Amino acid sequence: MKEKGRTIMIGLDGVPYRLLNDLAQKGVMPNVRRIIADGFFRPLASTIPEVSSVAWSSIITGKNPGEHGIFGFTDIPPHTYRLSFPNFNSLKAEPFWHGNEGRAVIMNVPSTFPAKEMNGVHISGFVSLDLMRSVYPQSLLPQLKAMNYQIDVDSAKAHKSMQLFLKNLEQTLEARINVYQYLWEREKWQTFMLVFTGTDRLMHFLWDAYEDESHRYHADFVKHFCRIDDEIGMMLSQLKPNDSFLLMSDHGFERLDKNVYVNAVLRQAGFLCIPGDSDSNFGQLNEKTCAFSLDPARIYIHKKDKYPRGRIKKNEIEKLIQEIAAVFQSLEIDGKPVCKRIYRKEEIYSGPYSADAPDLVLIGNEGINFHSSLKATTVHDRGIFTGKHTHYDAFLLVKDWAGTDTFCHNLDVGQILDIVNYLKVGKVNIHEKEYA
Ligand SMILES: [Zn+2]
């Protein structure tokens, strides 16, 4: 049992268990390798859907989306057709640091914009609309500007030139490192949470460079992880005996073979009745539409009592859900089924906000990346990205694990806080969750 130790939680956005293990064993991440040797290292399931806004919201609250109310980067509030962008104000459960006794530094956690008053320092992660509202306390703003702090990598650069993107990725990482070191040394803190988010951007654009050692950007890919490992080593060297150190990711990654457009499939099957072109928007949803989808693959029934022009009555919902599920179940591209799993909301969400949840969520098969752009004119294509998110391959790595292993099977990202708590007080309630 540990007392008075500090807690350090370091996030690596999107980094899969397998990749971290591979880079550790190859010597690219020697400090991570050291932690693995005596630590607790497990694959974790992400949230459904496996996107950062949902998964980090579960990590920082310990709740499922039915309890914290974040189901994606976008939403359409009931009784409207307005595409909204949930942010930190939309989070319906408390992040752990609001109930924390000591001071905390919370840096670059996705979907925590705008920054809120707290006992400590908070710098929001993506999606953040401006740096000004991303910083608490505001007195830190001049320092951040002086250090050229950027919340996110400018991914638009990758569409022009991969070299420009890599340069921006490196500058963003270096500024993030400078700022975290500044806060680490100057602030008094009991909890330090920092998320490195450039990893997700890098893997989207250059997953192929990871897999192919002869790829012209392979060395750049490896260098990014090597640089992060250096900083992990720096943190390890400054730990005190009772400190807890955890590394984690919010979802996994793998090679992307095909983008599959969910709304285009719904349109082709006659469930969605608006044209797919560059002007398409959700305001055009008409009485003929039975269902529509929001990114990445959240399907909503166009219910009569939920949407202004909704037509599906309560007694028609079940049959429709079965018909839509059957369409995606049988959908194949190049002879391969596109869906690994199709979840109904009752299977995956519980809590007071479950009514806002999508009716169906699709999990893509290997290589299949779902999108829900209304503008897509084809069912599938092959875009600029070479990597895509996965549900089953996030990770948790805890340094110096002396705990029991028995409760630690089939973990998901929503249970990381239970482990943090276990490290602090030697008690855990995972049993109840796991067998509930
Ligand atoms: Zn991503």
Side-chain angles (χ1 to χ4, degrees), residues 39-60:
F40 171 87
F41 185 36
R42 293 286 185 287
L44 297 185
S46 183
T47 46
I48 299 171
E50 64 280 25
V51 295
S52 296
S53 54
V54 184
W56 287 110
S57 293
S58 285
I59 290 172
I60 64 175

Side-chain angles (χ1 to χ4, degrees), residues 44-296:
L44 297 185
S46 183
T47 46
I48 299 171
E50 64 280 25
V51 295
S52 296
S53 54
V54 184
W56 287 110
S57 293
S58 285
I59 290 172
I60 64 175
T61 62
K63 309 278 186 195
N64 88 86
E67 297 167 291
H68 64 57
I70 305 293
F71 295 94
F73 282 105
T74 53
D75 217 344
I76 292 185
H79 314 297
T80 75
Y81 290 111
R82 182 172 49 83
L83 192 65
S84 71
F85 301 89
N87 66 16
F88 199 31
N89 291 329
S90 322
L91 185 70
K92 307 282 199 325
E94 291 285 310
F96 71 86
W97 58 85
H98 283 186
N100 234 13
E101 285 142 43
R103 271 173 67 79
V105 173
I106 305 296
M107 194 177 153
N108 202 37
V109 179
S111 287
T112 61
F113 173 88
K116 290 185 187 177
E117 186 178 342
M118 61 173 287
N119 181 16
V121 172
H122 181 192
I123 302 172
S124 311
F126 75 83
V127 177
S128 295
L129 300 179
D130 62 81
L131 188 60
M132 179 104 101
R133 288 193 289 148
S134 304
V135 183
Y136 178 85
Q138 285 276 293
S139 54
L140 270 173
L141 199 56
Q143 184 64 37
L144 261 59
K145 284 184 176 164
M147 292 172 128
N148 271 329
Y149 188 74
Q150 299 294 325
I151 293 199
D152 202 355
V153 179
D154 182 1
S155 292
K157 287 199 160 46
H159 297 266
K160 291 179 203 144
S161 138
M162 207 49 83
Q163 259 151 357
L164 280 179
F165 164 76
L166 287 167
K167 188 155 185 264
N168 185 263
L169 179 77
E170 191 186 336
Q171 287 166 342
T172 307
L173 176 62
E174 291 306 323
R176 189 142 17 251
I177 287 169
N178 289 339
V179 168
Y180 107 74
Q181 287 178 345
Y182 177 88
L183 296 173
W184 181 289
E185 284 161 23
R186 292 185 194 226
E187 293 291 329
K188 280 200 167 43
W189 51 267
Q190 190 64 27
T191 304
F192 200 103
M193 183 174 189
L194 162 66
V195 182
F196 290 103
T197 43
T199 45
D200 175 273
R201 307 295 181 263
L202 179 62
M203 292 186 291
H204 274 298
F205 286 110
L206 288 172
W207 182 264
D208 55 342
Y210 162 58
E211 289 191 334
D212 174 7
E213 289 183 9
S214 67
H215 194 288
R216 71 184 283 209
Y217 296 119
H218 180 76
D220 295 277
F221 186 98
V222 167
K223 197 175 102 188
H224 190 78
F225 284 87
C226 193
R227 183 71 187 90
I228 290 172
D229 187 77
D230 286 347
E231 286 312 311
I232 291 170
M234 191 71 107
M235 293 174 203
L236 294 179
S237 72
Q238 296 175 59
L239 293 186
K240 297 172 185 169
N242 283 337
D243 290 348
S244 300
F245 187 88
L246 301 94
L247 267 180
M248 67 200 70
S249 67
D250 58 329
H251 56 77
F253 245 88
E254 68 182 9
R255 189 188 68 248
L256 187 162
D257 295 324
K258 283 271 193 288
N259 292 308
V260 175
Y261 296 96
V262 181
N263 279 320
V265 177
L266 290 172
R267 186 184 295 121
Q268 211 171 58
F271 297 115
L272 173 68
C273 299
I274 54 175
D277 58 43
S278 56
D279 294 326
S280 296
N281 65 73
F282 289 99
Q284 297 167 320
L285 287 174
N286 57 23
E287 288 83 357
K288 290 183 195 153
T289 291
C290 304
F292 61 90
S293 177
L294 295 177
D295 273 330

